[in-house]
Each structure stands twice: as C-alpha cells, then as structure tokens.
Amino acid sequence: MTASFEPRILVFACNWCSYAGADMAGVSRFQMPPNCRVVRVMCSARIKPDQILAALTRGIDAVVVLGCHPGDCHYAEGNYHTRRRALVLDALLATLGVEKERFQVRWISAAEGAKFAAAIREVIDTVRDLGPNPLGRSHGTQAS
Amino acid sequence: MGKVRVGVFVCHCGSNIGGTVRVPEVVEYARGLPAVRYAEHNLYTCSDAGLTSIKKKIAEHGLNRVVVASCTPRTHEELFRRACEEAGLNRYLFEFVNLREHCSWIHMREPDAATAKAKDLVRMGVAKAALLEPLEAARAKVTPVSLVIGGGAAGLAAAGALAQQGFRVHLVERSDRLGGLAISLWRLLPGDRPAAEIVGVLEREVKATGNVQIHLRTVVEDVSGFVGAFKVRLASPDGPAEFEVGTIIVATGARELEPLGLYRWRELEGVMTQLELERALSSGRTRYGDAVFINCAGAREPGRTYCGRLCCAVAIKNARYLKESDPDARVTVLQRDVMAFGAEFEGEYRRAMEAGVRFVRYSPSLLPEIVGDASVKAVRVRHDLMGRDIEIPAQIVVLTTPLASHADSGELSRMLKVPLDADGFFLEAHMKLRPVEFATDGVFVAGAARFPADIREAVSQGIAAAAKAAAPMYAGEVIVEATTARTDPRACSGCGSCEAVCPFGAVTVAQDAKGRPVSSVNAVVCKGCGACAAACPCGAVQQQGFTEQQILEMVESLAFGREEAP
C-alpha cells in the first residue's frame, strides 16, 4: 500500500434512479475524485454476482451497485432481488477474505445528486485506505 | 453482419466537455482502439451539423456501430438512435458514452484525470458497441375495448369516460346493482346531497353512452394475455362469457372493516358501525338518544397501522346529523386525532362542534369500555386531556372503522399480475408520477381499490385511469422496448428461476415438443429489467442490449484496457 495508490472503482447504476442521480450530481457540478466509472444497466437486478466477482478478480478495487430506493423500483421489485443477492455475495466475499467495503449496494434516487457524490467520495476514501484489491493479484496474467 | 466497424463521435459540448477534457486527444486515442474505423470530434454532436456528420460517415466509412461520447442517454439517446436509423443502421447498434455529467462536470479542476477517465469510458463504450446486435421492437395490436372491474363510483366514472370517447366497455359488478359502497350511504359530504342521487348521475351518464355493457352479479374468473389483447373470462348466474379487451381498469373499491371482537359489537344491542348507522338513517330513523362515536376502531394499531383518512369526516358528519335531529341528545365523538383534511372537512368539523357535538380525546393505551348488559348504557373512558375517567351515558355506540381491502383482492392481483401493498390494497406503478397505472402495461387502478377514497377522489381517479387506458387504444398498437430478455432453449435447464423473479409474468417455463421444460419470454410483456438474466444459472436467458458478454467486455475493458492504450 503506497501513498500514491488510487483505486479503480466500477459503479453499476440503474437507469431510472441512480444513473439519473449521477446525472444530477453532474448537473449540480458536485466535484468528486475521478476514480469511478459508471456502467448503466436498466435495473440493479440485472447485475449478477458473477459480474461483481469478475470485476474483483480482474483487479478492480471495488464494485458499487446503485439502485432505486426499496419500494421505488421502476420494475416493482428489482432492488429487492439485488438486496437478497448482495447478502449472499457478502458472505462469499467474506470467506474469500475480501473486505466488505469492496462491494457495496446503495440506493440513490434520481433527485439525490448530492447523495450520489457523497457516496462516491466515501467509497473512494475507504478503498484508498484499504489499498489494492487482494483478489486482483491472483489474476494478473489473465488479460484477454 | 460482417466485420465490426465502429465510428466514434466525441462532443465538445461547447466548453462543457471540451473546457475540461482534451477532446482531440480522446479522439486520437479512440482511433487506436480495436475495431474503430473512424473517429472525429464535434463542437456539438447533437446539432444538425453533428447529426449530418454521423450519417455521412456511416455511409463513407461503412460504419456498422456508432459510439457518441457526449452527454447523457437519458436526454439524447433517442436523437442519436434516430440519426443511425436514418443512415440505414439499426438503431440498437448505437452506444452512448457520458463524458459530461459523469466526467467533465464532476472533475472540473482535473483536466489530466478527466481526460484519462474519458479515454477509459470511450474504450468501455467501444468494447460494448462491438458486441451490439441489431434488435427489433415488438409491436402488438390493441383491441379498442376496455374491461372495468367494479361498478362503484370509480368504475362508473372510468367506464363513462371511456364510453364517451367511443370505446366499448365491459363493466363488471359482482353485486346485483351499480353504485358500490356509496349506494349504502345516506348523505355525502360536502354538500349533504343524498348518495344515491350522486351515484345515479354517474350511472345515467354511463347508460346514455350506449357503449357500456353492464354485467351484474358477475365476477372475473380468469385473465390471460397482455396489453392490447387480454383474454377475459367472466362467470355469472347467466353463464360464462369470454371476450378480448385491450385494457383493464381495476376499480373494485373497499369494504368497511367489521369490528369483530371490538367494543362488544354484535353482542350488545345499540353497538353499530358507521355503515349500519347510515343504513338506519337511510331507512328514515332519525332519533337515537344519547350517542357515543368511537373513532379509530380497528385502525392505527398493530396489525392495521394505516389511517383510513375518511372515517373522521364520516363520524363528524353523522354525529352532527344525530345532534341536529335530536337536539336534547348528548352526542360525543371519542377520538385519538381528528383528521379533517382540506377546507371542507375542517369546516364540517367546526360545524359539528357548533351544533353541540363534543369531541373527547382518548389514548390508544386506554381504550374506551362499553357499559351495559343486554343493551348499551354508557361508555367509560379516560379523558386524555383531563387525565380522569368519565362515564358518558349512551343509547347507541357507533364504531368508526376504516375502509379495508377486500379479502379476495389477492386473487385478482394474481390474475392480473399486479401487486398489493401490505394492507391488501392495489399498489400503483409510482405513487407520485404514475398514480393510476400499474407497472404491468395496460392495467390501471382507480378509487378505494388503491386506498380509501371519497367520491370526489374516486371519480377523479376513474377519469384519470380512463385517460391512461385510452392512450394505447387510440394508437391502435403498442410498440415495446426491444432490449427485452430472450432464452436460448439449448442452454436452458428449465429450472424456472427466471419465471420466479419476473414481476410482469413475461417469462414462462413450459414443456417443449420433446416434453422438456424450457423457459421462454413474451417480448410484448417483458419490460427489459434483466432480473431473469441475472437469475439464470445457465446463462440461457440474456437481456438484449445488456448481455452477459457485453457487460463482461466493459468490465474487462476497464480492468485490462490501460495497457492497450496507444
């Protein structure tokens, strides 16, 4: 862990709430460190635990899944699936020795630009302190 | 489709992006990415000049994938998709990269880092674009006929509004007359007009259209299909009926909660509910002697936590009637909080107090007690403000219970694949933005089926639901999102995980020709959330436009891409 370590963080955001919330952060010019890359999906429920593991084993330092607040899902109950899958994945990551901060699920509405910015800053700070993702090292040669 | 040829158009957005991100450098970087055949930057890609350039370069360079790196897909995706389409490219061979909201605007003081991030984002977009496939949006014809379930105020208003626009309507009512709960009421606030008179107006309007077929003593036995072509089966004493409708409005109303086991109802003579009192008033009986109303009976307590919101107004109205028709009688309302919302109900509250009705607050921790052997003699209650027990003589006790959902609403909910809330009321798609729609296309909700509503609200919601239902029927067809799920039957194990997580009933597992269970997705019903694709353990179900491979490619592009930079 060096002082200059800058984590790479992948953010999956649902189209209806969280991606719009990220847009709102931009429109409001909330400044944040440039460590995150947002990938848009229609619903947080599209995200499979495999995809999060894929990112972590390929050296991404943290994965954040953002969805609508419980009860507000555009597809009625997608974020409930997300929440349940996250519980299982949390347990799996713990047995692999991955710090729980490297996979986070958060609820951001379309209006919550400030909350998006705060969440991103917090995740970056936390993961910067943690240092590089230990799972990533085992995968160093598998670039395809 | 042949070899993938990606074109990348990076937008300066005036100085919005270009003032922070070094756009020409990003374009130069894009030119070196695999499969990119052409890249340019535009002052405004969304301008006429920008759109014309996209179309021209598609033709000149034989581009078969287009990536625009500019603002947000939420506002501009449709515009660029259309430009692709106009150049003869399938609109789904387009990928959006957000360099403004997600980059330049949030890293305004870091041009180097913002430029590096822009390169990452463009590379990820190109990686996904290379795997995009042409898609076709499904279209379905819409039968211009509506089914309205429930013949109360909301259902009558909805049926009338649709019929006046020329649509045929089947209005289904399970009792033997129209009017719903309102028909059992005496007079309505505000205005004190007889309930039957108000409902009569709605009923006459419906009948005058000549477009509404009324099915009394009828229940909906089965509904299948989807927006535009629901197949409906009704059951009635006259026999079954089957037909097809394009849209469905749920207006099944609510019932007065029966206070079973509360305040010795049905045990002592003189203990009655508000509805029982309304019926007695309708039958002409005006004098009842001393009366005590107990509000919040069976409401706002563990098990039924909601406030019925109309019940206070009902108690206020009936207490005043009793006091005015028998001025010597002592009329008391025991309340926990008085919810007399709006100008009219607050006015009615004052009017009742001025007429001499007493309002006494009790605490939910010390419920009133009814005194009497065979019939009511008095009510004993802790006066919450005085902190003292008092006994109020009473010949009748009127229990104000909330409206509750119908016990069988679950059946209709399953039939129509629309959700209920924790209290059994139907749950709309969005409580603020889509208050009369369900997430399921073509199905709408109005009136007390959603939550206790007075006649004004029931009628407004009925008309609103009719306006929403009319839209697809006017259009004659529905065009649905193309980024729907699709099953590869060869990879499917028939486990049913996909079917279990679909909130729209779009995925079904059925036996194929060889008797093997296989999942399939109805593209017209699918809303493209991708929950099934994530649930599938075999990778057999894919969400088009967001496939496993496409998402993984973006992840790998982020993880490994830096070394590939030119």
Side-chain angles (χ1 to χ4, degrees):
Chain A
M1 201 183 308
T2 61
S4 65
F5 169 67
E6 284 299 333
R8 281 188 298 166
I9 296 167
L10 174 64
V11 179
F12 288 112
C14 83
N15 180 64
W16 306 98
C17 292
S18 309
Y19 192 91
D23 281 357
M24 180 60 78
V27 171
S28 315
R29 309 296 199 278
F30 294 134
Q31 300 301 296
M32 54 198 105
N35 305 58
C36 287
R37 309 287 182 265
V38 175
V39 169
R40 184 173 69 114
V41 287
M42 297 311 282
C43 180
S44 63
R46 171 66 189 93
I47 300 306
K48 221 172 173 162
D50 312 31
Q51 290 154 345
I52 292 151
L53 285 170
L56 291 174
T57 54
R58 282 159 180 76
I60 302 295
D61 295 299
V63 180
V64 183
V65 175
L66 303 178
C68 308
H69 284 272
D72 267 359
C73 176
H74 183 79
Y75 303 103
E77 54 197 46
N79 46 10
Y80 295 136
H81 295 306
T82 301
R83 191 160 63 183
R84 268 176 258 162
R85 285 172 188 149
L87 285 175
V88 178
L89 185 58
D90 278 342
L92 176 63
L93 290 173
T95 63
L96 292 174
V98 177
E99 301 91 337
K100 63 180 184 343
E101 292 83 2
R102 295 192 191 274
F103 164 58
Q104 304 194 20
V105 175
R106 299 201 180 200
W107 314 127
I108 310 276
S109 82
E112 292 175 333
K115 190 176 171 194
F116 172 82
I120 293 299
R121 282 187 214 114
E122 190 194 312
V123 171
I124 293 171
D125 285 347
T126 315
V127 179
R128 193 183 281 129
D129 289 346
L130 286 179
N133 163 17
L135 278 189
R137 285 196 291 269
S138 61
H139 204 284
T141 54
Q142 211 184 311
S144 54
Chain B
M1 186 103 212
K3 231 173 133 53
V4 171
R5 303 176 64 87
V6 184
V8 180
F9 300 80
V10 186
C11 183
H12 285 267
C13 194
S15 63
N16 280 301
I17 296 170
T20 303
V21 172
R22 293 189 294 272
V23 170
E25 195 182 315
V26 176
V27 170
E28 208 40 55
Y29 173 77
R31 285 194 182 117
L33 292 172
V36 171
R37 289 291 167 271
Y38 179 77
E40 68 171 32
H41 48 93
N42 320 97
L43 187 56
Y44 290 101
T45 311
C46 62
S47 67
D48 273 348
L51 296 173
T52 307
S53 181
I54 292 176
K55 289 186 252 184
K56 219 170 92 196
K57 302 304 176 192
I58 288 174
E60 270 176 26
H61 296 270
L63 304 177
N64 53 22
R65 304 286 190 285
V66 170
V67 173
V68 171
S70 59
C71 49
T72 170
R74 292 179 53 81
T75 55
H76 282 67
E77 185 169 59
E78 180 56 29
L79 184 73
F80 294 127
R81 278 182 170 175
R82 215 180 306 136
C84 292
E85 207 163 47
E86 283 166 13
L89 198 61
N90 182 283
R91 59 183 4 246
Y92 294 98
L93 296 175
F94 167 78
E95 180 64 18
F96 216 121
V97 174
N98 189 333
L99 294 189
R100 195 179 67 178
E101 283 83 345
H102 292 193
C103 188
S104 64
W105 276 353
I106 57 172
H107 312 305
M108 295 176 86
R109 290 180 290 273
E110 296 172 272
D112 291 340
T115 302
K117 175 171 170 177
K119 288 179 188 173
D120 273 4
L121 292 173
V122 167
R123 187 181 67 245
M124 291 163 75
V126 168
K128 181 178 176 188
L131 295 175
L132 290 175
E133 285 169 65
L135 303 177
E136 289 305 325
R139 286 163 185 268
K141 284 223 163 313
V142 176
T143 304
V145 181
S146 197
L147 169 70
V148 176
I149 310 172
L156 285 167
L162 283 169
Q164 281 163 4
Q165 297 174 76
F167 296 112
R168 279 207 298 122
V169 178
H170 290 277
L171 179 58
V172 172
E173 166 58 43
R174 70 171 156 193
S175 77
D176 56 1
R177 58 181 185 171
L178 295 172
L181 189 62
I183 206 83
S184 306
L185 304 180
W186 184 46
R187 284 167 191 273
L188 296 177
L189 290 184
D192 283 356
R193 280 175 70 191
E197 192 184 306
I198 307 276
V199 176
V201 174
L202 291 172
E203 189 177 333
R204 276 194 302 282
E205 278 174 5
V206 161
K207 288 179 173 162
T209 63
N211 279 337
V212 181
Q213 193 176 336
I214 297 166
H215 305 262
L216 294 176
R217 293 186 305 278
T218 303
V219 293
V220 179
E221 206 171 59
D222 189 45
V223 176
S224 61
F226 41 83
V227 56
F230 291 106
K231 285 176 186 51
V232 178
R233 194 168 74 232
L234 303 180
S236 78
D238 309 328
E242 277 185 51
F243 49 81
E244 192 175 287
V245 298
T247 55
I248 298 174
I249 294 175
V250 176
T252 46
R255 65 190 165 94
E256 182 189 52
L257 179 75
E258 293 196 329
L260 289 167
L262 292 175
Y263 301 112
R264 303 172 73 186
W265 180 67
R266 288 198 172 158
E267 180 195 321
L268 282 193
E269 201 188 315
V271 181
M272 63 184 79
T273 68
Q274 292 286 357
L275 196 56
E276 287 165 344
L277 173 63
E278 297 255 359
R279 288 195 175 115
L281 287 164
S282 300
S283 71
R285 183 180 161 199
T286 52
R287 298 174 78 84
Y288 298 82
D290 294 339
V292 173
F293 289 70
I294 302 177
N295 284 5
C296 292
R300 301 172 69 210
E301 59 180 28
R304 183 172 279 97
T305 51
Y306 65 88
C307 161
R309 74 191 276 277
L310 301 169
C311 354
C312 276
V314 172
I316 287 166
K317 171 190 75 167
N318 288 338
R320 179 175 54 79
Y321 287 150
L322 295 195
K323 183 68 187 170
E324 283 174 352
S325 58
D326 188 359
D328 293 334
R330 278 195 281 183
V331 180
T332 310
V333 177
L334 304 183
Q335 45 89 5
R336 281 171 54 190
D337 295 292
V338 177
M339 303 284 184
F341 59 86
E344 291 98 345
F345 288 161
E346 186 64 22
E348 291 292 340
Y349 181 25
R350 203 168 304 121
R351 203 173 149 201
M353 286 191 284
E354 281 161 10
V357 176
R358 288 171 64 211
F359 287 82
V360 172
R361 188 186 168 97
Y362 72 93
S363 155
S365 56
L366 286 167
L367 294 181
E369 244 177 89
I370 315 292
V371 182
D373 296 326
S375 61
V376 175
K377 294 270 180 289
V379 177
R380 205 175 291 140
V381 64
R382 167 68 62 93
H383 193 301
D384 201 40
L385 297 182
M386 293 198 296
R388 211 170 63 204
D389 290 328
I390 55 171
E391 196 168 293
I392 311 166
Q395 274 82 64
I396 63 163
V397 167
V398 184
L399 303 179
T400 312
T401 60
L403 288 184
S405 57
H406 289 298
D408 55 358
S409 54
E411 253 171 70
L412 195 58
S413 143
R414 278 187 294 277
M415 217 183 279
L416 298 173
K417 302 181 181 77
V418 296
L420 299 178
D421 69 12
D423 296 304
F425 291 107
F426 286 93
L427 189 62
E428 73 282 52
H430 190 290
M431 59 181 79
K432 299 178 193 79
L433 300 175
R434 298 172 67 196
V436 296
E437 294 166 79
F438 286 114
T440 305
D441 278 342
V443 191
F444 308 89
V445 65
R450 169 62 195 96
F451 199 70
D454 67 15
I455 296 251
R456 286 180 295 181
E457 293 161 339
V459 169
S460 326
Q461 290 169 22
I463 294 168
K468 282 288 175 187
M473 298 201 289
Y474 272 122
E477 66 171 13
V478 281
I479 299 169
V480 297
E481 184 52 62
T483 54
T484 51
R486 198 165 61 180
T487 306
D488 177 356
R490 291 164 306 175
C492 176
S493 69
C495 71
S497 302
C498 48
E499 187 177 2
V501 299
C502 179
F504 309 104
V507 192
T508 42
V509 175
Q511 296 200 340
D512 68 3
K514 291 180 202 144
R516 203 173 62 97
V518 169
S519 138
S520 66
V521 180
N522 184 332
V524 177
V525 185
C526 175
K527 305 276 242 178
C529 67
C532 55
C536 179
C538 314
V541 188
Q542 289 297 334
Q543 182 188 7
Q544 303 178 92
F546 296 89
T547 65
E548 212 72 18
Q549 201 51 47
Q550 288 163 356
I551 293 174
L552 188 62
E553 201 70 14
M554 291 183 92
V555 171
E556 297 210 319
S557 173
L558 173 61
F560 304 134
R562 282 186 178 170
E563 290 74 30
E564 293 169 15

